[in-house]
Each structure stands twice: as structure tokens, then as C-alpha cells.
Amino acid sequence: MMKTGITAIGCYVPERVVTNDELAQMMDTSDEWIVSHTGIRERRIVAEGEAASDLAVHAARTALERRGIGAEDIDMIIVATSSPDYPFPATACLVQHRLGAKVAGAFDLSAGCTGFVYAVETARAFVEAGSARRVLLIGSEVLTSIANWEDRNSCVLFGDGAGAVVIESLDGVAGHQIMSSWLRSDGAGETALIRPVSGSRSPFDPRKHSAADLQLQMDGKRVYLFAVDAIVKTIRTLCEREGILIEDLAWIVPHQANLRIIEAAAKRLKLPTERFYTNLERYANTSAASIPLAIDEMIDNDLLRPGQWVLSVGFGAGLTYGGNLIRW
Ligand code: UT7
């Protein structure tokens, strides 16, 4: 059986830091409310004109450099995003061109904040089916470009960033094996997290629609309850499938949405919250970029050891959820 895994990682966040206090100067909110309800203290926001493909290219270049290969060594590019440069063409095609990945196919994957988790399993399947030798997978998001800045319930939650990984066979290459993934969807939650207008369901009509209809809309309470359940279910299922105890997990790397969601899930699983890595206080919710941003930081902080069980778990628009179990 082929062993497939992550052989390099690279990340990028925009330079501009925006604190909660700065947001409080723009709208009726406060650092105290945001920290106590979410754990977020600041986020990165793109410069004017900076798009998802720009962040993705930076992150991808770092990953390729760390792996010691060129763009021409990649034969598939997947960009997981809910904030692409355009509805079409795919952001992955723009990245492919900018990197000079001349022999790569490219497509975007839409699974909301679970995008990275879905794309890791997609990449593994491509490699193990022999359809690609090396997949470059990038979670890249500029959620601040689609947030409704008049809606304090949602806009304070998001930030921008990108994280890239190379996924390939571990035959002769050092890396971190993808042992198992679990992917699920509950489309009954269609309206819980949605950009309702401009698709074929409701084409944009300037007589009927406002700017807010084109932006992200969220039922925060509903997503919160779903998210806690999703984390618990995913961790239990993946551990059971692999025959390991939940206590055997060295690290859980959750989608970085809200500290309270993570604390509630930890409590239900009777795990210490410290087992869950978090950096959302500095980046807020970067959707499909949040898990690779967290893993990259864990590597920088020397937190990961060979042989450890590391579980990534995501949840988001769809509603989608799922996880990847990785042997570090
Ligand atoms: O990737 C998945 C993305 N989505 C999420 O992660 C969202 C999941 N949901 C959540 O994280 C939480 O539901 C929120 C953080 C969005 C809200 O927290 P909550 O504890 O469920 O707050 P709430 O909805 O009960 O609102 C409490 C109050 C309301 O005031 P009233 O109606 O009680 O007077 C809100 O208007 O807080 C008010 N509020 C704010 N106040 C100051 C809502 N947003 C803000 C704000 N600043 N930014």
C-alpha cells in the first residue's frame, strides 16, 4: 500500500494587522466583546487590490522552496477557497500560470471552511490513483472582501491568509503520512452560512438586491451548535476507524473559528483544551487557510514530533465537516 503524505508547507498572511480596537472605531463593537465571545484579538487584512491568488502564490512559493522543487514538478494544483478572485475562472488556474507550473492541471474546491480538509483527501486520492505525482494544495482566503462590514455579528470574525502544502508519495521522501480522512456534508444547512445572490438560484438584479445580498450571511448560533457537534463527531469517528484512543492524539488542529467552540468540544470529549492548537487570537477565522496556518506555526514552535498522531478537523459552509488523521 502506497504511503502518501505532506512533504512541505508554506504560509502567507498580509502585512496589515487590524486590532479589535481599530474595528471598534468603525462600528459598534469592542475589544472586550470580541475577545470574550470569540478569543480573537486581531486579524490580517489584504491591501487594496490584493486577492486570493496573490496570497496563494506567496504561500505556494514557500512550500515549493522548502520541498526543494520547482513549479514544473507539480502536476495538479488545488485551491480551496470561498473567496476566489472570480466566480470563474478558477483561482487555481491563475496560480498555475503565475507559478509557471506548465504541466499541472488546476481547479478550485469549494467546501467552505472545511476546504483544506477536503482538499487533503482529494490530493491523497489523486496521488494514490496515479492521476498525479505531486499535488500542490493551497487554502487561500480573502474573506474580508466578501464580509458585510455593516453586520457586526459576522464581520469581526474574519481575517485573510493562505497556507500551501505539497502532497505526494512518501516513497524515498520524508513527510507526514495521511492515514485516514472523514468527509461529511449536511446540505440542510444551506442558509446557515451563505452568499445568497449572484449564482443561478438568484442572479444579481439591481432592482431587487442590495450590496448585503452579495455578501456573506451567517446564522451564528446555528453554526456554533453545528460546529461543536461536528468537531466531536469527527474526532470520535477518525480515532475509532484507526483503532486509537482519543487520548492518544498528540494534537488536534481545529479550524480556527472561535475559541468557545473549541472549548465546548474539548469539554464534551473530556480533553484538555491545550490539546487543541489555537492561533485564532492573531489571525481570526481565515476559513480554508486556518488549518495550514496553524500547522506551519506549530512547526515553527517545534511542537510536532515524528510518530505523533495529529488530527485536523474542519467545519463550515455547506454545511460541511470532516477531518484528516496524520501520522507526523
Ligand atoms: O467558519 C465558521 C464560521 N462561523 C462561525 O464560527 C460562527 C459561529 N458562531 C459564533 O461564533 C457565535 O455565535 C458568535 C460569535 C457569532 C456570536 O456569539 P453569541 O454568544 O452566540 O452571541 P449572540 O448571538 O447571543 O449575541 C449576543 C449579543 C447580541 O446583542 P443582544 O441582541 O443580546 O442585545 C448581539 O447583537 O451580542 C451582540 N453582538 C455584538 N456586540 C458587540 C453581536 N456581535 C457583536 C459585536 N460587538 N461584534
Side-chain angles (χ1 to χ4, degrees):
M1 189 69 181
M2 182 191 258
K3 290 183 178 176
T4 306
I6 297 172
T7 57
I9 183 163
C11 286
Y12 180 78
V13 288
E15 275 170 32
R16 184 171 160 224
V17 177
V18 176
T19 63
N20 292 344
D21 283 332
E22 283 171 84
L23 292 187
Q25 288 165 18
M26 295 161 51
M27 67 187 78
D28 183 15
T29 189
S30 64
D31 180 54
E32 193 281 317
W33 191 95
I34 300 173
V35 173
S36 62
H37 285 73
T38 71
I40 296 164
R41 295 183 184 275
E42 59 187 42
R43 72 281 296 133
R44 300 298 181 101
I45 296 191
V46 288
E48 205 177 325
E50 204 174 12
S53 67
D54 301 316
L55 308 188
V57 165
H58 280 294
R61 285 195 174 126
T62 303
L64 293 176
E65 202 181 295
R66 287 180 180 166
R67 173 64 183 87
I69 57 173
E72 63 287 349
D73 297 315
I74 294 295
D75 47 12
M76 185 58 68
I77 297 177
I78 306 173
V79 173
T81 186
S82 301
S83 45
D85 290 32
Y86 312 109
F88 68 88
T91 299
C93 299
L94 313 177
V95 172
Q96 172 269 319
H97 176 66
R98 292 259 303 278
L99 291 175
K102 293 199 177 69
V103 295
F107 66 98
D108 285 0
L109 189 152
S110 168
C113 301
T114 323
F116 184 78
V117 165
Y118 265 67
V120 163
E121 178 57 14
T122 306
R124 187 197 61 77
F126 264 103
V127 171
E128 292 187 9
S131 309
R133 229 158 53 85
R134 280 198 197 98
V135 181
L136 174 64
L137 137 59
I138 312 149
S140 186
E141 301 277 16
V142 184
L143 281 190
T144 62
S145 69
I146 58 168
N148 176 355
W149 288 93
E150 309 275 303
D151 176 18
R152 68 176 183 168
N153 290 289
S154 60
C155 71
V156 302
L157 306 177
F158 302 112
D160 303 329
V165 292
V166 177
I167 291 181
E168 61 189 310
S169 161
L170 297 181
D171 189 11
V173 191
H176 315 292
Q177 190 181 354
I178 303 156
M179 303 300 292
S180 185
S181 298
W182 191 63
L183 308 177
R184 284 293 180 272
S185 162
D186 178 9
E190 171 185 356
T191 56
L193 196 43
I194 189 169
R195 272 180 91 184
V197 165
S198 85
S200 55
R201 171 71 57 206
S202 300
F204 178 65
D205 178 345
R207 290 162 304 176
K208 283 200 302 204
H209 297 131
S210 65
D213 294 324
L214 292 162
Q215 292 160 337
L216 180 153
Q217 295 179 7
M218 185 182 72
D219 177 344
K221 280 235 160 66
R222 188 166 168 199
V223 175
Y224 184 101
L225 296 172
F226 150 76
V228 177
D229 264 356
I231 295 177
V232 171
K233 252 192 248 170
T234 302
I235 293 173
R236 285 193 175 137
T237 305
L238 277 170
C239 286
E240 203 177 295
R241 189 189 273 183
E242 206 58 38
I244 61 171
L245 299 172
I246 294 175
E247 297 74 43
D248 292 340
L249 297 170
W251 287 103
I252 295 157
V253 189
H255 164 49
Q256 305 283 311
N258 181 327
L259 197 55
R260 281 166 57 215
I261 291 175
I262 294 167
E263 285 168 352
K267 197 167 164 203
R268 289 249 300 264
L269 290 162
K270 299 192 173 57
L271 280 177
T273 311
E274 297 71 42
R275 198 72 60 86
F276 290 72
Y277 187 79
T278 58
N279 63 0
L280 60 90
E281 60 275 20
R282 275 170 289 117
Y283 299 113
N285 179 346
T286 58
S287 189
S290 83
I291 290 173
L293 273 172
I295 294 177
D296 193 44
E297 202 173 88
M298 293 168 80
I299 295 170
D300 277 354
N301 294 336
D302 203 18
L303 296 177
L304 296 164
R305 296 276 171 276
Q308 283 181 335
W309 290 104
V310 178
L311 191 150
S312 67
V313 49
F315 50 86
L319 296 166
T320 55
Y321 57 106
N324 317 114
L325 187 58
I326 296 166
R327 190 85 200 228
W328 202 258

